[in-house]
Amino acid sequence: GRVMVEGRDLAALDEEELNQVRRTMGVVLQGTLPFSCGLFYSLNVFENVAFPLRERTRWPEDRIRRVTIEHLEMMGLREHISLMPNQLSAGMTKRVALARAFALDARIVIIDDFDSGIDGVRLGLLCELIRDVQRRTDATFLVTTHDMGAARELADHAAVIHEGRIVASGDADAVFASSEPLIRQLISGEASGPLQLRTT
């Protein structure tokens, strides 16, 4: 297959062109403990969120501080700015990584394994927040999740992956309404269907 970003085939780009594309992206890596969602273990919460702003912008330090605090407050983490990553719960770690990605005002935000380490209430609140950020910035979000409630809440376009292959994709409402037995089972999580323990 091909990976196209804004009409450009990534495989055809040289390193400098790839770096230009990368600078338009924010990424939240998978992170259940003991992993860190890509946070730097040597930096506290504040410095982790401020790091890409210092690397990618020429903003003065007072603006970097203001934007960093604003995004940590958005994630409910204002009181935890001095903590180190190893002092955070899995859910807090995910929220710090989200704050870091959102602070960049990226055109494309990739969030891997969105629901890991987050309880149902915070997951619902983060879905609302992502929708709000998407509407405000018109950014594209690519989110992977096992939580079908979050997928339904967030997706305009959906793809269902089974054994490393996309088995359904398209308009989210159409994908979630599929009557194909494998797709229905993957979406519903029901025990009855073509997938059984001996085949998965």
Side-chain angles (χ1 to χ4, degrees):
R2 292 187 299 165
V3 178
M4 305 290 290
V5 175
E6 296 180 335
R8 305 168 77 188
D9 184 349
L10 294 190
L13 303 183
D14 63 28
E15 193 62 28
E16 178 53 35
E17 291 170 321
L18 276 173
N19 284 333
Q20 289 173 4
V21 172
R22 289 174 181 136
R23 282 190 281 272
T24 69
M25 296 181 176
V27 178
V28 178
L29 301 176
Q30 183 175 6
T32 53
L33 295 176
F35 304 108
S36 64
C37 297
L39 301 185
F40 298 109
Y41 264 76
S42 59
L43 302 179
N44 67 22
V45 165
F46 177 89
E47 294 299 330
N48 262 287
V49 176
F51 181 85
L53 299 177
R54 292 190 179 116
E55 289 293 308
R56 294 195 194 178
T57 73
R58 297 181 187 275
W59 292 353
E61 191 59 31
D62 61 332
R63 183 177 180 188
I64 289 173
R65 178 168 182 78
R66 180 170 42 81
V67 169
T68 298
I69 295 293
E70 173 189 331
H71 285 83
L72 285 169
E73 284 179 343
M74 185 188 298
M75 293 294 161
L77 294 167
R78 176 65 177 86
E79 305 305 314
H80 305 288
I81 63 174
S82 298
L83 294 182
M84 300 301 285
N86 65 339
Q87 297 175 294
L88 304 175
S89 69
M92 289 169 73
T93 301
K94 179 74 75 175
R95 287 185 283 147
V96 173
L98 285 164
R100 183 172 64 183
F102 291 167
L104 288 168
D105 284 332
R107 294 203 313 265
I108 299 169
V109 180
I110 300 169
I111 306 174
D112 187 21
D113 206 13
F114 172 62
D115 53 294
S116 65
I118 299 177
D119 63 64
V121 173
R122 285 189 178 84
L123 185 61
L125 292 169
L126 286 174
C127 284
E128 281 186 16
L129 180 62
I130 286 174
R131 272 294 193 194
D132 179 60
V133 171
Q134 197 282 324
R135 287 188 197 103
R136 186 162 37 87
T137 64
D138 201 32
T140 296
F141 282 79
L142 174 61
V143 179
T144 66
T145 181
H146 295 93
D147 188 288
M148 291 301 105
R152 288 175 191 274
E153 176 68 23
L154 292 173
D156 298 314
H157 183 97
V160 179
I161 299 173
H162 175 60
E163 295 183 345
R165 300 180 64 86
I166 294 174
V167 293
S169 68
D171 176 79
D173 291 337
V175 170
F176 291 130
S178 173
S179 59
E180 202 281 316
L182 175 66
I183 308 306
R184 287 267 17 100
Q185 187 179 11
L186 288 168
I187 290 171
S188 69
E190 293 176 2
S192 60
L195 294 176
Q196 298 298 314
L197 284 178
R198 66 183 179 278
T199 61
T200 58

